[in-house]
Amino acid sequence: MPARHLRTSSTTLRLTIALLVSTAVLGAVLMIPWGGSEPEAAPDPTVSHTPEPPTAPPAPVRQNVYTCPAYSGIDHANPVANLYKDTFTWGTTPPTKVGDGKGNINWRMNPPNNPSWYMWLHSLRWLGQGITAAAAGDKAALQRVSAITHDWVKDNPYSWKSDVGAYESTMHRTNVLICLRQAVLSGLHVAKLPLTYAWLDKALMEHAWFLQKNYSGDWNHGTDESLALFGIGCTLQRDDLKKIASDRLTSAIKTSIDTQGSTNEQSTAYAQFNYVLWGRAIDVLRKCGVDPGTTITARRRELAKWLALATNSLGNLPQLGDSEVVRTVPVTGTVLEYAGTRGARGIRPTQRIGIFDAGYIFGRTGWGETRPFTQESTYSIRFGPSQKLHGHNDHTSITYTSRGRDILIDGGHAGYKVDDWRFWAKSQFAHNEMVVKSATGHPETKLVRSSIKATSEFYELHDSPGAGIDRTRDVLVLKDPDLMVVLDRGSSAADQEYSTLWHLPADQKVVVSGNDRAVAARPGDTVKTTLLQIPFQQQTTPIEVTTGQQDPIQGWHYTTIDKRLPSPVVKFNRSGQNASILSVIAPTRTNATVSYTTSMQGSRMVVNLTVDGVTTVIGIAADGTMQRIK
């Protein structure tokens, strides 16, 4: 059943789709903007990555060298034998016969009714193994991939913008055309393109015209477009095209990656993809005789620091925005080497907390100085500019790892198909924040104040998620014992339904004891999580736990766009004009005792937390200021 409060009209959304160009990343997804003029990027970075080699020193200038960028892994499922049958395979969809067996393809086919499948068909990247074979001299393979490619050109005359699948795959198809052209020259052992392939250069110029007129903007989609346009200029020795593309890249880097290393994608996985993508940009420019300048290198260096700080104690990037569960790539010679190998190699970073203007807080108890890397506690907190591109409605949300496992998770990334599952995954209900049922906005959230100390960090965030609704979150993160104290406050002139949501991993079983605690653990594990609901300025209400609910959707975790698991969500609820919800998240060994007492010192409440025999004292002022006293 669909989610009642998550329905959305697809008529307000313009579908767009795209594809990765780096061999370091594999994925295919549909892009779905939130009804604005700026589309989202795609596809997904995934868990499979090849570590990027160290950046080579500048090579001597070489003119007109553009390396075929491979096929983003789509070719793996499409062997040459299948190409002879006009059979196309993508994702989890079974192999599909899309032509008549002679290279005549029905380009309007879409049996699974999946826009991503359709885009990958039009990208032509599925021809990769055939093009590779053709380049090695396989004339039968050359004939078949040429026939399919020529069929696309004939059946999709310029301009193909009215067909979203053909439109959004333009930059990726451009690279396939270049790869095929190179395969013709090497496979036939000729220096000049034969006249029988004149249609190929004509198609490249049509793609160049399209890319000039339909620039997507300064984010990964536009970067890919610029690289493809540059590739045509390099291949056909058109300096005018090279200049347009290089000028766009020179301008775009300043928006794509800011001076602190944050990308404008609002996604950790896409941040890592951008690191790879801009590394390719440097290589592409240099190999075709254009100086990439110093800005790209400098911004990538800061992005590497950002990614290292974002890396959690499990060696993964937290699932922020459109991100699957993605490992940090241990790039040799950078700060990512230590983070990506979980401390096995590289130089240990010294920065423990990172606060970024783009809306990210990444913190950790340490880098493995006094305990194993994987036993450190790490967290992320979101704030900053309103949602765009790959961002979710996740402001004020927290992720948390401790004791070698995930403690608080994000709902994840449901892919790009326009349905209630994607709408839920992007909504406030899929994140660890105080949600307001009537709120539908995607607000800017301000970090009002912060205080960093040796064994504690305090943050206060504020925003307005809906008309006339104010929301404030105060977070106190402790070290020894490792735990979080979170105070959520909401106010509105009208009655509202407020809920603080805590999303837990799929393997957790939750037991509720009264109104003040829920305990979560994987059966047989040595670690448990105690979630306390402590009265502060309001009485507590019964704790709810939701797992695997479909109407409305709640209690799920997408580890990848194709893998959805029922996962418990603990809810602390309030109703009325005001809400005050005080939570404690305490990961401990399974047989540890967690208890608390409270008392008042004037207007300040004092909480004595005893966690596994260690007593910690927290002071909470009436204005929400939290401080570790002991």
Side-chain angles (χ1 to χ4, degrees):
M1 293 293 290
R4 292 189 182 115
H5 66 277
L6 298 181
R7 291 196 177 105
T8 181
S9 172
S10 61
T11 59
T12 64
L13 304 174
R14 181 171 66 86
L15 306 183
T16 53
I17 41 187
L19 164 65
L20 299 180
V21 297
S22 170
T23 57
V25 187
L26 167 62
V29 287
L30 171 67
M31 302 179 298
I32 308 161
W34 283 95
S37 60
E38 186 174 32
E40 297 179 3
D44 272 328
T46 69
V47 294
S48 176
H49 293 274
T50 301
E52 181 189 3
T55 301
V61 172
R62 299 177 64 190
Q63 296 291 336
N64 307 320
V65 174
Y66 182 78
T67 303
C68 169
Y71 307 99
S72 300
I74 293 300
D75 56 321
H76 295 166
N78 292 277
V80 178
N82 284 15
L83 302 186
Y84 292 133
K85 302 173 186 176
D86 291 344
T87 298
F88 169 59
T89 304
W90 174 80
T92 58
T93 304
T96 303
K97 188 174 179 61
V98 294
D100 63 359
K102 300 179 182 179
N104 181 20
I105 308 299
N106 180 356
W107 298 104
R108 305 286 83 80
M109 282 187 66
N110 188 2
N113 193 28
N114 186 319
S116 296
W117 186 97
Y118 187 74
M119 184 279 292
W120 281 108
L121 178 70
H122 280 262
S123 77
L124 301 184
R125 286 195 176 272
W126 53 288
L127 303 180
Q129 289 197 37
I131 294 175
T132 300
D138 187 330
K139 292 185 178 179
L142 177 60
Q143 188 280 330
R144 178 45 56 102
V145 294
S146 298
I148 294 174
T149 304
H150 197 193
D151 186 68
W152 187 94
V153 172
K154 290 185 295 181
D155 290 355
N156 296 273
Y158 183 89
S159 167
W160 45 84
K161 190 172 181 179
S162 61
D163 187 327
V164 66
Y167 170 18
E168 294 299 334
S169 58
T170 296
M171 57 190 174
H172 314 298
R173 189 172 52 256
T174 297
N175 279 306
V176 175
L177 295 175
I178 294 173
C179 293
L180 176 58
R181 190 182 195 279
Q182 293 174 358
V184 171
L185 298 178
S186 60
L188 298 180
H189 305 290
V190 296
K192 184 178 180 180
L193 197 69
L195 288 177
T196 53
Y197 281 93
W199 62 267
L200 189 51
D201 280 355
K202 181 176 183 292
L204 279 172
M205 281 307 303
E206 288 177 339
H207 280 62
W209 296 330
F210 191 96
L211 291 167
Q212 288 181 78
K213 296 176 181 178
N214 297 280
Y215 179 56
S216 293
D218 299 342
W219 47 294
N220 80 75
H221 202 205
T223 305
D224 266 330
E225 290 169 348
S226 296
L227 291 173
L229 179 60
F230 187 89
I232 298 173
C234 186
T235 299
L236 301 183
Q237 300 183 36
R238 289 286 301 264
D239 288 343
D240 56 330
L241 300 181
K242 289 168 57 179
K243 185 176 189 316
I244 293 169
S246 59
D247 285 351
R248 285 179 178 174
L249 290 168
T250 300
S251 174
I253 184 60
K254 299 173 185 177
T255 301
S256 182
I257 307 173
D258 69 20
T259 56
Q260 294 180 326
S262 300
T263 72
N264 61 345
E265 306 279 357
Q266 295 188 347
S267 158
T268 45
Y270 274 93
Q272 182 157 264
F273 172 54
N274 270 275
Y275 184 83
V276 175
L277 182 62
W278 283 101
R280 180 170 177 262
I282 293 173
D283 184 64
V284 164
L285 292 171
R286 282 177 176 164
K287 284 184 176 178
C288 203
V290 175
D291 182 1
T294 60
T295 303
I296 298 176
T297 299
R299 297 288 173 97
R300 285 185 81 233
R301 187 183 303 117
E302 295 306 309
L303 175 54
K305 297 176 185 177
W306 188 98
L307 289 166
L309 282 166
T311 302
N312 65 29
S313 57
L314 309 181
N316 299 330
L317 295 172
Q319 282 186 273
L320 304 183
D322 286 337
S323 300
E324 297 184 340
V325 176
V326 175
R327 296 301 295 255
T328 297
V329 177
V331 183
T332 303
T334 74
V335 292
L336 288 169
E337 183 175 13
Y338 188 88
T341 62
R342 293 177 286 184
R345 297 195 314 271
I347 299 174
R348 179 185 291 131
T350 57
Q351 186 177 353
R352 189 171 64 86
I353 309 293
I355 303 176
F356 299 91
D357 294 341
Y360 301 89
I361 301 170
F362 299 125
R364 61 199 321 116
T365 51
W367 287 99
E369 295 91 343
T370 60
R371 49 176 150 168
F373 184 101
T374 58
Q375 295 300 306
E376 300 283 7
S377 296
T378 57
Y379 63 91
S380 71
I381 306 175
R382 280 285 284 125
F383 68 100
S386 60
Q387 178 189 18
K388 65 178 181 179
L389 296 176
H390 283 289
H392 288 189
N393 190 3
D394 60 358
H395 284 187
T396 76
S397 185
I398 297 168
T399 67
Y400 193 33
T401 70
S402 188
R403 295 180 169 267
R405 66 162 299 128
D406 282 311
I407 302 299
L408 299 175
I409 64 170
D410 186 270
H413 177 25
Y416 293 89
K417 186 177 181 179
V418 182
D419 60 13
D420 287 336
W421 291 103
R422 173 162 173 78
F423 191 79
W424 170 80
K426 295 194 70 169
S427 77
Q428 60 179 331
F429 303 101
H431 305 95
N432 297 308
E433 57 184 291
M434 184 176 76
V435 302
V436 185
K437 190 172 183 179
S438 69
T440 58
H442 308 287
E444 176 184 5
T445 303
K446 294 182 179 180
L447 176 62
V448 178
R449 49 185 173 151
S450 62
S451 174
I452 311 299
K453 299 182 179 179
T455 60
S456 67
E457 294 93 58
F458 171 72
Y459 309 99
E460 182 173 285
L461 305 100
H462 177 265
D463 61 22
S464 297
I469 302 172
D470 282 323
R471 181 176 65 166
T472 300
R473 167 162 277 189
D474 297 280
V475 182
L476 182 67
V477 187
L478 302 189
K479 176 182 179 181
D480 299 326
D482 295 3
L483 57 86
M484 283 189 170
V485 184
V486 181
L487 174 61
D488 289 311
R489 290 168 292 159
S491 64
S492 174
D495 287 348
Q496 302 288 344
E497 294 182 33
Y498 303 91
S499 295
T500 292
L501 306 181
W502 300 116
H503 293 256
L504 307 176
D507 60 2
Q508 302 286 279
K509 304 299 181 184
V510 182
V511 177
V512 175
S513 301
N515 284 4
D516 72 338
R517 78 179 54 219
V519 178
R522 184 186 69 196
D525 200 358
T526 59
V527 178
K528 70 178 180 182
T529 302
T530 300
L531 302 95
L532 300 176
Q533 180 184 206
I534 299 177
F536 180 77
Q537 298 179 347
Q538 279 183 342
Q539 291 300 307
T540 59
T541 62
I543 297 171
E544 294 183 24
V545 180
T546 302
T547 305
Q549 180 177 285
Q550 296 193 36
D551 189 13
I553 294 173
Q554 188 54 280
W556 298 90
H557 179 213
Y558 279 89
T559 57
T560 71
I561 61 173
D562 296 319
K563 187 176 182 180
R564 180 177 70 225
L565 301 173
S567 301
V569 178
V570 175
K571 301 181 180 181
F572 300 156
N573 303 312
R574 301 287 186 274
S575 296
Q577 293 182 355
N578 299 288
S580 179
I581 304 174
L582 179 61
S583 307
V584 175
I585 313 297
T588 65
R589 59 191 182 95
T590 304
N591 57 351
T593 299
V594 178
S595 62
Y596 71 93
T597 62
T598 64
S599 61
M600 296 301 297
Q601 292 182 351
S603 61
R604 182 173 74 166
M605 188 172 88
V606 176
V607 181
N608 290 275
L609 281 170
T610 301
V611 178
D612 203 5
V614 178
T615 298
T616 302
V617 181
I618 308 297
I620 307 175
D623 67 353
T625 302
M626 294 193 287
Q627 180 182 7
R628 182 174 191 169
I629 300 173
K630 176 184 176 183

